[in-house]
Amino acid sequence: MSGAENPRSIRISARGCGNSAGSARFVNVVSNGQWSDDSIAEALMSGAADMVEISVDAGGKSAYESARSGASHDRLMRNLSRLREMKRSRASKTIIGIRLMIRPSTRSREREYLRAWSPLCDVIFAQYVSKPSILTDGEDMYTSSHELLGTTPHCSYPSRAMQIKADGSVPLCGINGHSPKDSAIMLGNILDSGIEELWKHPILSRYREAHGARVEALMPVCRGCPGA
């Protein structure tokens, strides 16, 4: 995650009804909360999204700013406050969520951090920060057992969610979208295709069916997944 002026501070996840025939019905906007324009808070609480989810790091101001180059903890807190104000004034039904990023160094105080952040949102959940095993040892992150063992996870992502990046591109899944270009699978771009069309994309349908039937040969990029 980067600082206030980076347009990639917001991404969208469209969640579906659980099968290839269904359309995406739940729109979840994920942000690092680093925008500098108050009109963004207004837009986020307009009702177009079902949930606005802010990603934060446990550990306090210094840990947050250390983990996110160029980010400001003070700006984060102002923007969270602004979101809550806009929700109240507009009687918005949009859910404000916090995704609390937990690292090995903060794991022992997870419950404490969850309690501290929960008054600032409607829902909160923890996510454990993972890293690819190719990174150097000593990083304050977890490594996926599937990546270490080369196994394929049981994953429902293809049947329940579709990520839309800041530039409109739609990857196979949120994890694969962060892969190197030679291994990332892009389904298309929301600027060129509708959500319904992308949700029913043949590649996404194949991975959806492969996970359901556990046919690993049909979902090769899922083997050794670093995010599951």
Side-chain angles (χ1 to χ4, degrees), residues 70-172:
S72 165
H73 187 270
D74 291 339
R75 185 185 300 117
L76 167 70
M77 300 306 290
R78 286 196 303 270
N79 286 336
L80 271 171
S81 177
R82 180 63 173 159
L83 280 179
R84 293 163 64 209
E85 291 173 6
M86 292 302 303
K87 175 166 180 153
R88 286 194 297 267
S89 65
R90 294 193 170 198
S92 174
K93 294 183 179 180
T94 298
I95 300 166
I96 298 175
I98 286 180
R99 181 186 301 192
L100 185 64
M101 310 305 291
I102 300 292
R103 299 172 183 271
S105 62
T106 55
R107 176 66 178 85
S108 64
R109 299 175 63 187
E110 177 180 338
R111 291 186 180 182
E112 175 186 339
Y113 292 126
L114 287 169
R115 286 195 298 268
W117 284 97
S118 60
L120 304 179
C121 59
D122 301 315
V123 296
I124 186 170
F125 64 93
Q127 178 174 322
Y128 300 103
V129 181
S130 61
K131 69 176 181 69
S133 59
I134 58 173
L135 294 183
T136 57
D137 293 335
E139 296 282 351
D140 190 15
M141 303 179 188
Y142 294 95
T143 299
S144 165
S145 61
H146 293 291
E147 184 175 20
L148 291 174
L149 301 175
T151 54
T152 301
H154 290 264
C155 182
S156 62
Y157 194 103
S159 295
R160 62 179 172 80
M162 184 173 67
Q163 186 183 97
I164 304 170
K165 291 182 168 292
D167 62 359
S169 60
V170 178
L172 176 65

Side-chain angles (χ1 to χ4, degrees), residues 54-69:
I54 307 299
S55 174
V56 306
D57 290 86
K61 180 176 181 177
S62 61
Y64 176 85
E65 294 182 349
S66 175
R68 300 175 184 247
S69 176

Side-chain angles (χ1 to χ4, degrees), residues 19-36:
N19 59 68
S20 59
S23 58
R25 296 178 178 177
F26 188 91
V27 177
N28 182 26
V29 176
V30 182
S31 172
N32 59 17
Q34 289 297 301
W35 61 82
S36 55

